Amino acid sequence: KAGVTQTPRYLIKTRGQQVTLSCSPISGHRSVSWYQQTPGQGLQFLFEYFSETQRNKGNFPGRFSGRQFSNSRSEMNVSTLELGDSALYLCASSLGQGAANYGYTFGSGTRLTVV
Amino acid sequence: AQSVTQLDSQVPVFEEAPVELRCNYSSSVSVYLFWYVQYPNQGLQLLLKYLSGSTLVKGINGFEAEFNKSQTSFHLRKPSVHISDTAEYFCAVQTGASYGKLTFGQGTILTVHP
């Protein structure tokens, strides 16, 4: 079956712009989590959605937001981009209920470069 | 809050030699433990996970890990590595109440030399 699909794969934006990233989870998975990966800070949790509700949120400013649709697809948005937002953004999906029992499947990520 | 420390940032090893990647965690509650591998320009692939039960966990590609509660460790081992095992490895923990949130270590770059 198809894995977690993230689009676009690469993105270049200018400071001050906003960006929207998309994630399609594995069919049947209802939980989607987002992570930011940078060389300095490593992998950091952004937020998690389950059945269109945000259940958990990491320590990121309000410029970072997300949503989940009824088909479990998720988007994350970053407004007023800063140079420090340049990172690999990873999406992970799971069945969601007692999620740790099922493990997380990650997508290949979206590489965002802010210039 | 929980935290994860991967004790080695880089581990060089020769092909067919054994390897151990070390991971220690800190948490005031019970945790679930994971090891992921990341190849260049790719996402994370789950190698193995410990949820409960036997403390020795076997994963894909010949990897295994042992959960040691008293030492709060979850070290990853492979008896004989291949060139294709060259990658970055991440240890991660999750608590039962933290929906969707994995806390990752800083990663260990494993380089296998011929």
Side-chain angles (χ1 to χ4, degrees):
Chain A
K1 59 183 178 181
V4 178
T5 303
Q6 292 189 246
T7 56
R9 194 79 170 82
Y10 300 93
L11 207 48
I12 300 175
K13 289 287 188 179
T14 304
R15 271 182 305 175
Q17 287 186 312
Q18 74 165 16
V19 67
T20 299
L21 312 181
S22 178
C23 172
S24 293
I26 290 173
S27 178
H29 283 194
R30 297 165 65 191
S31 167
V32 173
S33 297
W34 289 89
Y35 291 82
Q36 182 195 65
Q37 185 177 25
T38 60
Q41 298 298 315
L43 283 151
Q44 294 186 288
F45 172 75
L46 282 154
F47 28 64
E48 187 258 6
Y49 286 87
F50 177 79
S51 292
E52 302 179 66
T53 300
Q54 186 182 88
R55 292 194 300 186
N56 204 354
K57 190 177 188 313
N59 296 323
F60 278 81
R63 300 185 297 107
F64 291 81
S65 63
R67 59 178 175 169
Q68 186 180 35
F69 302 96
S70 58
N71 62 357
S72 294
R73 189 177 71 85
S74 177
E75 290 181 346
M76 67 163 282
N77 184 79
V78 187
S79 63
T80 319
L81 283 165
E82 301 176 359
L83 295 179
D85 297 332
S86 294
L88 180 66
Y89 290 88
L90 293 165
C91 164
S93 79
S94 76
L95 287 168
Q97 295 283 27
N101 289 329
Y102 305 104
Y104 298 83
T105 302
F106 282 79
S108 296
T110 294
R111 173 76 63 184
L112 172 66
T113 302
V114 182
V115 298
Chain B
Q2 57 272 18
S3 65
V4 178
T5 302
Q6 291 184 239
L7 297 162
D8 305 292
S9 59
Q10 297 192 53
V11 172
V13 64
F14 286 107
E15 194 173 19
E16 297 183 7
V19 70
E20 178 179 80
L21 306 184
R22 297 180 294 166
C23 172
N24 285 95
Y25 69 92
S26 172
S27 176
S28 58
V29 299
S30 295
V31 297
Y32 305 113
L33 295 155
F34 306 82
W35 274 99
Y36 283 87
V37 61
Q38 185 176 35
Y39 299 100
N41 297 317
Q42 293 189 28
L44 302 172
Q45 180 182 10
L46 180 65
L47 281 176
L48 47 80
K49 58 186 175 183
Y50 172 79
L51 305 178
S52 64
S54 172
T55 57
L56 182 62
V57 180
K58 293 190 183 299
I60 63 171
N61 300 340
F63 284 94
E64 64 180 34
E66 185 152 20
F67 170 57
N68 188 318
K69 187 174 182 179
S70 63
Q71 297 186 8
T72 59
S73 68
F74 190 55
H75 300 333
L76 181 71
R77 301 185 183 100
K78 186 170 183 177
S80 176
V81 295
H82 302 123
I83 297 286
S84 59
D85 292 323
T86 295
E88 189 161 16
Y89 292 78
F90 292 92
C91 180
V93 303
Q94 184 194 7
T95 65
S98 58
Y99 298 113
K101 178 182 179 182
L102 292 167
T103 299
F104 286 90
Q106 286 297 101
T108 297
I109 297 173
L110 173 66
T111 304
V112 181
H113 298 284

